[in-house]
Amino acid sequence: MLWVSSTLVALSRMSENRALGIEIEFREVERLLAKAVDNGDQETLEPQISGADRQAVIKRVDHAAAYLRGGRMLWVDDLPRNNIYLKELFRQLGMVVDSATSTGEAMACLDHHKYDLVISDIYRESDPQAGIKMLHEFRTRGISLPVIIHAARFDPTLGVDPMIFGGTNRIDEVVHYVIDVMERVPLRDA
């Protein structure tokens, strides 16, 4: 047990992750997470994440970085500035992150590129159901990608569409959900 504890301390003090050819500074991951939390839209009342939660994300990224590299996501949000640091975190980890501000833009992106997952908000412009309507459009077009909902107004007690892999208003949970999806991509493509 002492060995595990001292190993975790050593990992948390490392300055770079070079596992499997991925190089990203832990400090950079932490900086981007902190900026993502600080940058959250004040209207969304996105909860602060604790230092322990941030460290859990850093450790998870360390172990799963190879799954993220080469992945491609589409982020649909009418306020893209609220996600710039989280998008940059995924880009630093080797993912391609495309943005769309509407369902129409999202469909155009999906017509031209292959994605591993979609992150979307629910409430866009003046439509409180825009994200859900987008899922219906996916279904109509035969698009069956995992969707992560990142929105303050997501209430899973109202029911969850089967296309929704996960829903949250927390930055750290978005990272965990993305890793969860990307760890399954090799299984989905097999």
Side-chain angles (χ1 to χ4, degrees):
M1 191 63 150
L2 181 59
W3 179 82
V4 172
S5 175
S6 62
T7 302
L8 291 176
V9 169
L11 278 175
S12 68
R13 291 184 181 157
M14 289 175 64
S15 64
E16 292 183 5
N17 171 12
R18 295 178 188 259
L20 301 172
I22 307 281
E23 293 185 26
I24 182 167
E25 292 189 17
F26 285 121
R27 279 175 262 174
E28 180 67 1
V29 172
E30 191 161 18
R31 183 187 74 78
L32 290 168
L33 282 172
K35 285 195 167 279
V37 170
D38 294 343
N39 191 54
D41 182 357
Q42 295 305 308
E43 290 179 22
T44 65
L45 301 176
E46 193 161 305
Q48 294 292 317
I49 61 174
S50 70
D53 290 336
R54 288 181 194 197
Q55 289 304 311
V57 169
I58 291 168
K59 288 177 188 173
R60 182 92 190 275
V61 165
D62 178 38
H63 293 292
Y67 291 105
L68 301 176
R69 179 177 230 154
R72 188 174 194 121
M73 78 168 67
L74 175 60
W75 200 308
V76 186
D77 192 332
D78 60 330
L79 299 170
R81 70 183 175 276
N82 292 337
N83 307 306
I84 58 174
Y85 297 108
L86 204 48
K87 288 178 192 175
E88 183 58 27
L89 172 67
F90 291 121
R91 287 181 180 118
Q92 289 283 328
L93 292 166
M95 294 189 78
V96 173
V97 182
D98 292 337
S99 295
T101 58
S102 68
T103 297
E105 283 182 24
M107 293 305 158
C109 289
L110 288 161
D111 286 342
H112 292 91
H113 302 287
K114 181 180 185 250
Y115 293 96
D116 297 304
L117 68 118
V118 175
I119 297 178
S120 179
D121 62 350
I122 296 280
Y123 195 107
R124 284 199 287 280
E125 298 171 4
S126 61
D127 187 354
Q129 292 295 308
I132 301 303
K133 290 175 184 175
M134 183 182 72
L135 296 178
H136 296 298
E137 182 71 22
F138 280 15
R139 211 171 272 108
T140 300
R141 291 189 179 199
I143 298 168
S144 61
L145 291 171
V147 176
I148 298 167
I149 299 296
H150 180 216
R153 296 179 181 105
F154 179 69
D155 184 359
T157 63
L158 299 175
V160 178
D161 188 288
M163 290 187 79
I164 297 175
F165 183 85
T168 186
N169 63 343
R170 292 177 51 107
I171 298 287
D172 58 326
E173 289 177 357
V174 169
V175 176
H176 287 298
Y177 283 140
V178 169
I179 292 170
D180 289 344
V181 168
M182 294 307 296
E183 286 175 336
R184 291 162 176 79
V185 167
L187 300 173
R188 194 173 69 225
D189 293 341

